[in-house]
Amino acid sequence: MTEVHRDKTVLIIDDSPINIEHLAQVLKSEYNIKVANSGGPGIEAARNQLPDLILLDIVMPDMDGYEVCRRLKADDATRKIPIIFITTKNEMEDETRGLTLGAVDYITKPFRTPIVRARVRNHIQLKHNSDLLEKLAMIDALTNLPNRRRFEQILKREWARCRRSQEPLSIILLDIDHFKQFNDHYGHLAGDRCLSRVARALPIPLKRPADSVFRYGGEEFIAVLPETDHSVGLNLAEEMRAQVAKLLIPHAYSSTNHPYISVSLGVTTTTPNSRSTPRTLVQLADKMLYAAKSAGRNCVMGKVFNGETDYDLDPAGA
């Protein structure tokens, strides 16, 4: 029985309408099919639609398949899309060149329908498995939040996006107060349960899909808030603090004047520009977190960063 993958997309790049029609007929019962009749539009379609696999002809006017493949593999957005060459060029040198450029397979015309189906199915499954492994590598196993590696990717992406649009970007860095004492007295299993409960509570105030919370390391968490000004960032941080307080997780051994688990938070906001970097924003958030701890913990401290190396510690809302 044929397995249908309607959530998977195959992009066919070929200048021959007959070839496109033939391949589409072979695969349309299993996959979502997109087409482009030359190299330039094919590259654009790949960037816009991010298909699961590309079937690429070599002999095309203006830009041949080798050049299309080279450009797709040079672009971070498309380099992981598997490419299968389907072509009349059947010399060993042609196949070697295609595979060297990064294609995962090479099928010569005239092709046999069962072979095309099987190879497309196999490479889409391989990509699915690879994507799944990559996704798992980005998730913290204890809290099920994205991990620090994923945070660095997202911050870099949102920094570039906000720099282009000249929109503000806020981050919130938070730390569970006196967590070492909690682990020492309640045990590490209780500590793990505490981290998991805090992790589930933190995203509750976030309303927009672009807002994300990550486990930063140990008992630290960090949130990336694109297109968010400082006042909104401070309000969200305060809501996070309140959500954790609502958990009422006993912490009888905390040095803070509070009988339950609490968090301290540092907030920084900037409009990204050439005078600053994402790392600078994180460093300032860490200084704000330190200021919150110095102020007695279980509170929020924040500062707007204007791109200069000015690290004066101001109270939240000042």
Side-chain angles (χ1 to χ4, degrees):
M1 184 176 183
T2 300
E3 188 175 357
V4 178
H5 302 274
R6 286 299 184 189
D7 60 327
K8 305 299 183 183
T9 298
V10 175
L11 171 64
I12 302 170
I13 306 175
D14 197 315
D15 65 318
S16 168
I18 294 175
N19 290 340
I20 288 176
E21 179 64 23
H22 190 179
L23 286 168
Q25 287 295 329
V26 168
L27 300 170
K28 69 179 184 179
S29 63
E30 298 180 55
Y31 307 101
N32 180 29
I33 304 298
K34 301 293 182 182
V35 301
N37 60 10
S38 62
I43 293 172
E44 192 66 23
R47 288 172 177 162
N48 292 337
Q49 298 167 16
L50 297 179
D52 296 278
L53 183 137
I54 295 172
L55 295 176
L56 177 60
D57 188 20
I58 291 178
V59 182
M60 295 185 293
D62 301 328
M63 185 188 304
D64 67 21
Y66 294 133
E67 179 62 17
V68 173
C69 182
R70 188 191 67 77
R71 295 191 187 189
L72 290 173
K73 293 303 176 182
D75 188 333
D76 285 343
T78 56
R79 64 183 176 85
K80 294 183 180 180
I81 302 172
I83 295 172
I84 299 177
F85 280 118
I86 297 191
T87 178
T88 56
K89 296 174 75 68
N90 58 9
E91 297 295 328
M92 183 179 68
E93 292 80 4
D94 300 320
E95 182 173 353
T96 301
R97 183 181 178 190
L99 296 175
T100 301
L101 284 170
V104 295
D105 212 337
Y106 194 100
I107 301 173
T108 57
K109 301 175 185 176
F111 57 80
R112 288 176 289 176
T113 296
I115 296 298
V116 171
R117 284 184 178 145
R119 291 187 177 183
V120 166
R121 188 180 302 120
N122 288 345
H123 285 297
I124 282 185
Q125 185 62 50
L126 286 170
K127 183 177 186 297
H128 171 77
N129 293 344
S130 176
D131 290 346
L132 182 59
L133 287 173
E134 184 172 351
K135 182 178 180 180
L136 290 173
M138 298 290 182
I139 297 296
D140 175 64
L142 176 64
T143 64
N144 287 322
L145 288 178
N147 59 21
R148 183 167 180 164
R149 179 182 173 193
R150 184 60 174 161
F151 158 73
E152 290 171 351
Q153 290 182 349
I154 294 298
L155 179 60
K156 181 180 178 182
R157 183 188 74 190
E158 295 301 335
W159 180 277
R161 189 165 68 85
C162 287
R163 182 174 175 179
R164 287 193 301 269
S165 63
Q166 281 300 283
E167 293 285 345
L169 174 65
S170 294
I171 63 172
I172 301 170
L173 180 60
L174 64 101
D175 184 273
I176 299 177
D177 294 326
H178 299 299
F179 190 68
K180 183 180 184 303
Q181 289 95 316
F182 185 92
N183 266 337
D184 288 345
H185 291 280
Y186 293 100
H188 288 280
L189 288 178
D192 287 349
R193 289 193 293 270
C194 173
L195 285 168
S196 296
R197 292 183 66 188
V198 170
R200 290 194 296 272
L202 293 177
I204 290 174
L206 306 182
K207 308 300 182 187
R208 300 178 308 169
D211 298 339
S212 305
V213 179
F214 307 80
R215 187 177 182 191
Y216 195 58
E219 64 271 24
E220 286 189 324
F221 299 85
I222 196 163
V224 178
L225 311 171
E227 300 179 359
T228 301
D229 64 29
H230 195 57
S231 61
V232 174
L234 290 171
N235 288 337
L236 287 172
E238 176 55 33
E239 289 185 48
M240 287 179 169
R241 188 203 63 78
Q243 286 292 338
V244 173
K246 287 179 184 178
L247 297 175
L248 298 177
I249 301 173
H251 193 355
Y253 300 93
S254 173
S255 302
T256 304
N257 185 24
H258 190 64
Y260 301 104
I261 281 288
S262 62
V263 292
S264 301
L265 306 96
V267 184
T268 50
T269 305
T270 194
T271 300
N273 56 51
S274 60
R275 302 190 307 276
S276 57
T277 66
R279 183 170 176 269
T280 310
L281 194 63
V282 174
Q283 288 175 332
L284 185 54
D286 189 55
K287 290 180 179 292
M288 293 297 101
L289 174 58
Y290 181 81
K293 292 180 179 182
S294 298
R297 304 181 188 252
N298 192 28
C299 65
V300 177
M301 299 289 276
K303 184 177 179 64
V304 176
F305 179 52
N306 62 9
E308 306 298 332
T309 56
D310 175 9
Y311 290 150
D312 291 341
L313 303 182
D314 296 337

